[in-house]
């Protein structure tokens, strides 16, 4: 068999799906080939032909539309006329269009049967329904033969006016059932799309259709980590799109937390382990999606960065994998090499997945095992089978390496302590602390007082689990610093501060080196301990700290990167403060770990202040400040480049009357002070 496909006839000879289309719709295939519609760069010629020859039966029309459109997409993809991204875009747009047509028909059918649905309040608009796409359709990366993962939401209380009145919930459930049948039911023309509705709350046991208020209530109270990942890719595709967009906006705090939640890493590891066990049980080692180094691992890598930091970095709040990879690189979350490796691997894996499904229009992810099937797939990949497998193995290995580096289990630290806070007999606890080198009675007094304080906080079960896991590790690390009681007191103060936001404890449990660095810094500087207690998000800077004093270019890059994706002044001001605190900590780490001399440290702190003032001025005047007719002059410690960690800024503002008047200059000066 040839290892290339150069003509449509060769494609027909290899693809059972193409053969089925040819036999099922012979006249349409002949007409479309004669029109050149199968090779055209846009789907318009095909759409025009289908619109003039539309069957009356909606289910028939939908299956004909989807199969002929997919025939064009497959042929253009395999013949090299369309890129991977173009094929994904068109497959997703086709699915959107089919769902919209099906919903229009379903609404008409149900209204004819049960009457129109009207609001219980005459002043309100009638209740409406939205179809939300999840998974790859939500991120506009649909497979050639993928299920469509959907969730249904409606707004407004209402009822029909017919003989037997139906509520909004009953009415829209009928609509959804009709809609699913139009797309999912298999008839003599095959199937349009397999529909998966299990991503809704409580899965198959839950209601098929949910009100927007009920959905929001569920996710805010009971939503789990995997549901955060699912909603990361949600997108309204049919019906009341405004309702869908509003719900996604309301659920943004559920998906993207304002703080760094390293607890999700344990959830990803658990999900990945379950997938690995299932793959081993079912022999899925050559599974493009779920196998080692497969598509799911790329998605976990990218989505974990998004979920972890999307609350602070809006540019990460998107579903598309390749676009998200670009955002991760731009935001400094991975190197250019890492992002490029993942992008190439993802495109290679997804291309192979699509070509595999183009053979028979089946939702297949496992590589074929027979020589005949391998030859068919290799031909569509325009490679020999050994070449294809060698390249695939290289991509999978690179994905595995990055996945293991990010999600590796934290090194198990010895946990010799079994402190019992409920037992009135303190002797056993004191003896354990003394064995670690502590003044047993004083250490136990601090721990017991802090534990009692935490009990008054009404912590969640998850928070208590993290507290119980964290304390022994903390005591072990402090014991390596001569079991310093004052250091223990500082660290317990931090534990009290972050207990309600236990994601910070998850960070320190996930990253033992960050815990070690935190304790080191706290021992050397009570001021640093105060900073971290005031702003626990600084713990993230201890994961990969720089031990060199930051240069001006580095500070400017951080400011630009963190400010770039903020969409209003309040968020920019918060981001600016976070950046100042972060760089100040970097300077302190370099000073403490490298015993940096006073003058270079003072200069670095002064450069940080200069960069921030310059950044604020450029933002407020919307351009470079060199020729704006306004100047900020520093006096005191900043003027002398001798800033300390807690220095004030002594500033004087000058303006040039030829360029701006006093009112403009005063307003600008006040805004600068406000930002600072």
């Amino acid at each position: 068999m040839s290892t290339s496909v150069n003509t449509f006839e060769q494609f027909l000879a290899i693809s059972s799906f193409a053969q089925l289309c040819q036999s099922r719709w012979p006249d349409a295939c002949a007409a479309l080939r004669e029109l050149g519609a199968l090779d055209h760069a846009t789907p318009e010629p095909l759409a025009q032909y289908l619109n003039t020859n539309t069957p009356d039966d909606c289910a028939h029309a939908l299956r004909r539309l989807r199969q002929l459109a997919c025939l064009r997409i497959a042929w253009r993809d395999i013949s090299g006329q369309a890129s991977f991204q173009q094929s994904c875009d068109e497959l997703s747009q086709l699915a959107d269009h089919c769902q919209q047509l099906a919903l229009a028909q379903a609404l008409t059918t149900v209204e004819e049967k049960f009457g129109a649905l009207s609001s219980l309040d005459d002043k309100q608009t009638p209740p409406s329904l939205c179809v939300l796409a999840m998974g790859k359709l939500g991120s506009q990366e649909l497979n050639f033969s993928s299920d469509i993962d959907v969730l249904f939401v409606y707004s407004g209380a209402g009822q029909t006016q017919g003989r037997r009145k139906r509520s909004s919930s009953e009415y829209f459930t009928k609509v959804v059932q009709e809609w699913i049948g139009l797309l999912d039911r298999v008839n003599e023309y095959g199937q349009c799309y397999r529909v998966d509705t299990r991503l809704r709350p409580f899965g198959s046991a839950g209601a098929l259709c949910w009100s927007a208020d009920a959905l929001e209530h569920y996710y805010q109270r009971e939503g789990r980590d995997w549901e955060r990942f699912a909603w990361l890719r949600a997108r309204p595709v049919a019906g009341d799109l405004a309702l869908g967009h509003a719900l996604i906006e309301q659920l943004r705090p559920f998906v993207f937390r304002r703080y760094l939640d390293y607890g999700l890493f344990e959830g990803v590891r658990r999900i990945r382990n379950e997938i690995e066990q299932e793959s081993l049980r079912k022999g899925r080692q050559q599974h493009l999606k779920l196998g080692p180094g497969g598509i799911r691992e790329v998605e976990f890598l990218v989505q974990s960065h998004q979920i972890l930091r999307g609350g602070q970095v809006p540019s990460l709040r998107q579903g598309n994998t390749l676009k998200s990879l670009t955002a991760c690189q731009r935001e400094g979350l991975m190197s250019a090499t890492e992002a490029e490796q993942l992008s190439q691997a993802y495109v290679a894996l997804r291309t192979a997945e699509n070509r595999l499904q183009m053979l028979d229009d089946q939702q297949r992810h496992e590589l074929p095992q027979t020589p005949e099937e391998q030859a068919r797939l290799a031909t569509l990949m325009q490679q020999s089978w050994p070449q294809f497998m060698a390249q695939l193995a290289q991509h999978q290995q690179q994905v595995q390496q990055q996945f293991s580096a990010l999600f590796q289990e934290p090194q198990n630290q010895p946990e010799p302590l079994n402190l019992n806070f409920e037992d009135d007999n303190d002797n056993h606890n004191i003896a354990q602390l003394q064995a670690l080198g502590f003044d047993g009675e004083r250490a136990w007094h601090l721990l017991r007082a802090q534990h009692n304080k935490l009990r008054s906080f009404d912590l969640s079960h998850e928070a208590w689990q993290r507290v119980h896991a964290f304390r022994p590790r903390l005591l072990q690390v402090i014991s390596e610093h001569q079991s310093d009681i004052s250091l223990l007191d500082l660290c317990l103060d931090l534990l009290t501060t972050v207990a309600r936001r236990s994601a910070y404890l998850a960070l320190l449990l996930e990253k033992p080196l960050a815990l070690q660095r935190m304790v080191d810094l706290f021992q050397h500087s009570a001021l640093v301990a105060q900073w971290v207690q005031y702003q626990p998000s600084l713990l993230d800077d201890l994961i990969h700290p720089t031990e060199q004093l930051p240069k001006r270019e580095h500070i400017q890059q951080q400011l630009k990167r963190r400010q770039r994706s903020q969409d209003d002044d309040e968020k920019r001001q918060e981001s600016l403060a976070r950046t100042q605190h972060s760089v100040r900590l970097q300077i302190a780490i370099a000073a403490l770990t490298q015993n940096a001399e006073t003058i270079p440290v003072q200069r670095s702190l002064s450069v940080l202040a200069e960069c921030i003032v310059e950044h604020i001025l450029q933002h407020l005047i919307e351009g470079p400040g060199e020729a704006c007719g306004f100047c900020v002059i520093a006096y005191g410690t900043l003027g002398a480049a001798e800033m300390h960690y807690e220095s004030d800024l002594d500033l004087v503002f000058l303006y040039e009357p030829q360029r701006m008047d006093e009112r403009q200059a005063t307003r600008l000066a006040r805004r600068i002070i406000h930002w600072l």
Side-chain angles (χ1 to χ4, degrees), residues 225 229 262-277 300 304 403-412 473 506 509-511:
D225 280 341
F229 282 86
Y262 274 84
L264 67 88
F265 279 51
E266 179 58 35
V268 170
R269 275 198 295 271
R270 185 169 56 252
I271 294 169
R272 184 69 188 99
N273 289 338
E274 291 172 358
I275 291 172
E276 284 182 349
Q277 293 301 316
F300 276 151
S304 294
F403 187 88
S404 297
L406 185 62
F407 293 106
Q408 64 183 345
E409 293 276 359
Q411 295 296 319
N412 289 326
R473 299 192 189 185
L509 290 168
E510 283 285 335
K511 306 293 181 182

Side-chain angles (χ1 to χ4, degrees), residues 187-256:
N187 60 22
E188 67 269 31
Y189 303 109
Q191 189 178 40
C192 188
Y193 288 101
R194 290 175 298 275
V195 177
D196 191 338
T197 64
R198 292 173 296 175
L199 290 180
R200 67 189 190 268
F202 307 113
S204 300
L208 190 58
C209 215
W210 286 69
S211 73
D213 290 342
L215 271 180
E216 184 180 6
H217 180 77
Y218 166 83
Y219 288 114
Q220 297 297 356
R221 291 180 61 86
E222 302 185 48
R224 290 161 287 178
D225 280 341
W226 72 262
E227 289 171 309
R228 294 172 65 194
F229 282 86
W231 276 90
L232 175 64
R233 301 200 283 185
R235 180 174 63 91
V237 293
D240 187 348
L241 302 186
L243 170 63
H245 285 298
L247 178 63
I248 289 172
E249 188 67 27
Q250 289 170 328
L251 292 180
R252 180 169 290 172
F254 163 68
V255 180
F256 303 108

Side-chain angles (χ1 to χ4, degrees), residues 98-257:
C98 288
Q99 290 176 89
Q100 291 157 8
L101 293 175
L103 183 58
Q105 179 60 51
L107 286 166
T108 299
T109 300
V110 172
E111 183 173 335
E112 289 175 352
K113 188 173 182 180
F114 297 104
L117 182 68
S118 58
S119 172
L120 293 178
D121 184 345
D122 294 337
K123 297 179 181 179
Q124 294 181 355
T125 56
S128 59
L129 176 73
C130 178
V131 181
L132 285 157
M134 315 292 276
K136 284 188 171 62
L137 178 56
S139 58
Q140 296 179 292
E141 302 170 291
L142 196 64
N143 292 340
F144 183 80
S145 187
S146 178
D147 291 352
I148 54 174
D149 297 300
V150 289
L151 191 146
F152 307 97
V153 58
Y154 67 89
S155 69
Q159 64 180 19
T160 59
Q161 302 304 310
R163 182 173 58 84
R164 182 184 172 187
K165 299 186 184 302
R166 305 272 179 171
S167 67
S168 295
S169 175
E170 295 172 310
Y171 186 88
F172 287 128
T173 298
K174 295 290 185 184
V175 171
V176 166
Q177 290 169 341
E178 180 72 20
W179 181 89
I180 291 172
L182 287 170
L183 295 171
D184 190 82
R185 189 179 300 118
V186 178
N187 60 22
E188 67 269 31
Y189 303 109
Q191 189 178 40
C192 188
Y193 288 101
R194 290 175 298 275
V195 177
D196 191 338
T197 64
R198 292 173 296 175
L199 290 180
R200 67 189 190 268
F202 307 113
S204 300
L208 190 58
C209 215
W210 286 69
S211 73
D213 290 342
L215 271 180
E216 184 180 6
H217 180 77
Y218 166 83
Y219 288 114
Q220 297 297 356
R221 291 180 61 86
E222 302 185 48
R224 290 161 287 178
D225 280 341
W226 72 262
E227 289 171 309
R228 294 172 65 194
F229 282 86
W231 276 90
L232 175 64
R233 301 200 283 185
R235 180 174 63 91
V237 293
D240 187 348
L241 302 186
L243 170 63
H245 285 298
L247 178 63
I248 289 172
E249 188 67 27
Q250 289 170 328
L251 292 180
R252 180 169 290 172
F254 163 68
V255 180
F256 303 108
R257 308 284 166 79

Side-chain angles (χ1 to χ4, degrees), residues 260-307:
L260 299 174
D261 186 4
Y262 274 84
L264 67 88
F265 279 51
E266 179 58 35
V268 170
R269 275 198 295 271
R270 185 169 56 252
I271 294 169
R272 184 69 188 99
N273 289 338
E274 291 172 358
I275 291 172
E276 284 182 349
Q277 293 301 316
E278 185 75 359
S279 296
L280 287 171
R281 190 174 66 83
K282 295 187 176 181
R284 289 176 170 174
Q285 293 306 100
Q286 288 193 311
H287 199 283
L288 292 168
K289 180 179 180 181
L290 302 179
I295 295 165
R296 182 57 55 84
E297 287 192 1
V298 179
E299 293 172 342
F300 276 151
L301 274 164
V302 179
Q303 292 169 9
S304 294
H305 284 301
Q306 294 177 269
I307 295 289

Side-chain angles (χ1 to χ4, degrees), residues 343-360:
S343 296
Q344 290 180 359
Y346 184 73
V347 171
L349 287 160
R350 288 293 315 282
T351 299
E353 180 184 48
N354 273 340
R355 301 278 171 88
L356 179 63
Q357 295 179 2
M358 288 171 184
L359 289 171
D360 304 303

Side-chain angles (χ1 to χ4, degrees), residues 38 45 76 209 268 276 314 461 505 645:
L38 297 184
R76 282 178 44 78
C209 215
V268 170
E276 284 182 349
H461 175 70
L505 296 181
Y645 292 108

